[in-house]
Amino acid sequence: MRIAINGMGRIGRLLFRRLLGEQDVELVAVNDIMPSDNLVYLLKYDSLYGPNPAPLFLEGNAIVSGDKRIMVFQEDHPAKLNWKELGVDVVLECSGRFHQAAGAKEHLQAGAKAVLLSTTGSADIPLMIYGFNQHQLTKETQVVSPGGCMTNCCTHIIYLLQSIGIESIHFNILHSYTSRQELVDTAHKQFRRGRAAAESIIPVEIDLASSLERLFPLKDRIAALSIRVPVTNGAMTDVTVTLKTETSAAEINNLFRHAATGPYKGILDYTEEQLVSADIKGNTHSLVIDGSLTSVAGRQVKLIAWFDNEYGYTSRMIDWLRYWQKIR
């Protein structure tokens, strides 16, 4: 399977690093408008995950690593790329700009066979969460949204708790700050996003609830808020759910413990260790349920899940590539 990446931000660069080590997929090209020498520098050195283990250097219009040569383009629009000439099977659309069907399909018009977004796309793009409804993928599907890191965490929580019965559920995502916030106070259409990210706990608006309502028949019974905290990596999902019947912390923990060792192995994990957010860096799961923090008051349950918003999410995108390859 021949892969190209469009957009070399945090997710695009981490995928680049990880795909270099994959044996059954070949990264053939990347596209980003930043200067190529700057891109190579950011691929070699990362403030979160450290230096790239493999040597990288720029040679003409390609990044070279060992016997691998990855073409570099600097086009501002997918229509200007020639994926057909490179035989690209799947484009990983990581720019955040082409998340609607019309924009994503420009990669198809440029010759790619399929497109996998790195975000929750618009309603005209199928939303498929790996481990939940990836089986809906067919050979004819050309563009897929795998959701975002928060959607991947929360989808599995809802699905498993449905076995007891959900009346309402509220997700509060305590999330590391991102590039969509500001380093120092400045103007922003969402005023709070314009405040200095490393100086405050900052509530931000997210579309998580509407995304989850596309997957579950719980309209107007899901609420979500993201609180950005001054750390560079990791997230903690604080779930408050009202169930249809009374339960116990032991029952809830057993539900997720069983899932982690059974059908959700590799996607969901369970722990009762005394974790903090730094401990989750580099974790490949979409969520890690912290059973030591589960509590119950009547029909109301408090549940805590950790996830690495970058490494866990890119793990699912790589799972998607393997799955796509399998059904072709």
Side-chain angles (χ1 to χ4, degrees):
M1 178 175 276
R2 293 170 66 82
I3 306 299
I5 303 174
N6 187 57
M8 296 299 287
R10 293 297 307 164
I11 298 300
R13 294 199 300 273
L14 185 53
L15 282 166
F16 181 102
R17 282 177 158 224
R18 299 190 65 184
L19 289 175
L20 282 182
E22 292 290 316
Q23 300 301 315
D24 51 352
V25 297
E26 180 184 2
L27 180 60
V28 297
V30 299
N31 180 59
D32 196 285
I33 59 174
M34 79 170 82
S36 297
D37 56 348
N38 199 166
L39 173 57
V40 172
Y41 171 77
L42 290 173
L43 289 168
K44 289 172 69 174
Y45 303 106
D46 189 280
S47 298
L48 292 180
Y49 300 108
N52 192 60
L56 296 172
F57 62 91
L58 189 64
E59 183 177 272
N61 60 348
I63 298 173
V64 177
S65 177
D67 60 352
K68 299 180 179 180
R69 186 179 180 87
I70 300 97
M71 301 298 295
V72 180
F73 300 99
Q74 293 176 286
E75 301 293 350
D76 62 357
H77 226 271
K80 298 178 182 179
L81 296 161
N82 191 348
W83 296 139
K84 184 176 182 179
E85 183 178 313
L86 290 172
V88 172
D89 293 304
V90 180
V91 173
L92 303 177
E93 171 47 59
C94 301
S95 71
R97 294 178 57 201
F98 305 101
H99 55 84
Q100 296 185 340
K105 287 180 178 178
E106 290 192 20
H107 289 294
L108 304 177
Q109 295 159 11
K113 296 175 184 175
V115 181
L116 181 65
L117 304 186
S118 69
T119 186
T120 300
S122 55
D124 53 4
I125 295 177
L127 177 59
M128 300 184 193
I129 307 302
Y130 193 85
F132 172 67
N133 65 340
Q134 77 274 8
H135 59 275
Q136 294 178 2
L137 183 72
T138 68
K139 292 181 179 179
E140 291 72 38
T141 307
Q142 293 182 298
V143 183
V144 168
S145 162
C149 59
M150 292 183 284
T151 314
N152 275 261
C153 172
C154 298
T155 293
H156 306 307
I157 292 173
I158 292 177
Y159 178 73
L160 290 167
L161 289 177
Q162 277 188 319
S163 64
I164 301 174
I166 297 172
E167 282 196 357
S168 63
I169 189 164
H170 192 128
F171 296 99
N172 182 16
I173 317 290
L174 283 76
H175 196 294
S176 53
Y177 56 75
T178 74
S179 60
R180 293 177 63 195
Q181 294 173 255
E182 300 294 340
L183 186 60
V184 296
D185 288 358
T186 189
H188 196 288
K189 63 181 180 180
Q190 292 183 26
F191 291 179
R192 288 189 176 107
R193 282 188 186 267
R195 300 298 300 276
E199 294 296 326
S200 289
I201 297 170
I202 301 176
V204 300
E205 300 170 19
I206 55 173
D207 60 0
L208 177 61
S210 59
S211 298
L212 293 170
E213 286 178 352
R214 292 172 59 184
L215 301 170
F216 298 99
L218 293 168
K219 186 169 179 58
D220 299 326
R221 289 188 285 159
I222 304 175
L225 176 69
S226 181
I227 305 293
R228 300 298 163 84
V229 294
V231 297
T232 54
N233 177 256
M236 188 188 86
T237 301
D238 179 351
V239 188
T240 302
V241 55
T242 301
L243 299 175
K244 292 184 177 179
T245 60
E246 289 194 4
T247 184
S248 65
E251 181 184 8
I252 296 295
N253 283 347
N254 284 336
L255 176 67
F256 286 95
R257 186 188 292 110
H258 172 74
T261 57
Y264 273 78
K265 188 174 183 179
I267 297 171
L268 179 154
D269 201 6
Y270 177 89
T271 185
E272 293 183 5
E273 295 286 335
Q274 305 294 301
L275 299 183
V276 297
S277 63
D279 302 322
I280 213 71
K281 184 170 72 171
N283 192 290
T284 59
H285 295 88
S286 294
L287 67 159
V288 179
I289 297 294
D290 192 331
S292 70
L293 298 173
T294 303
S295 61
V296 173
R299 293 186 295 116
Q300 190 174 86
V301 174
K302 174 72 72 175
L303 190 69
I304 300 296
W306 302 96
F307 62 95
D308 182 324
N309 48 294
E310 296 181 0
Y311 215 89
Y313 183 65
T314 54
S315 296
R316 296 295 78 75
M317 291 187 71
I318 293 171
D319 284 344
W320 263 111
L321 293 178
R322 292 174 180 147
Y323 186 77
W324 218 322
Q325 189 175 35
K326 188 185 302 182
I327 73 162
R328 290 182 60 196

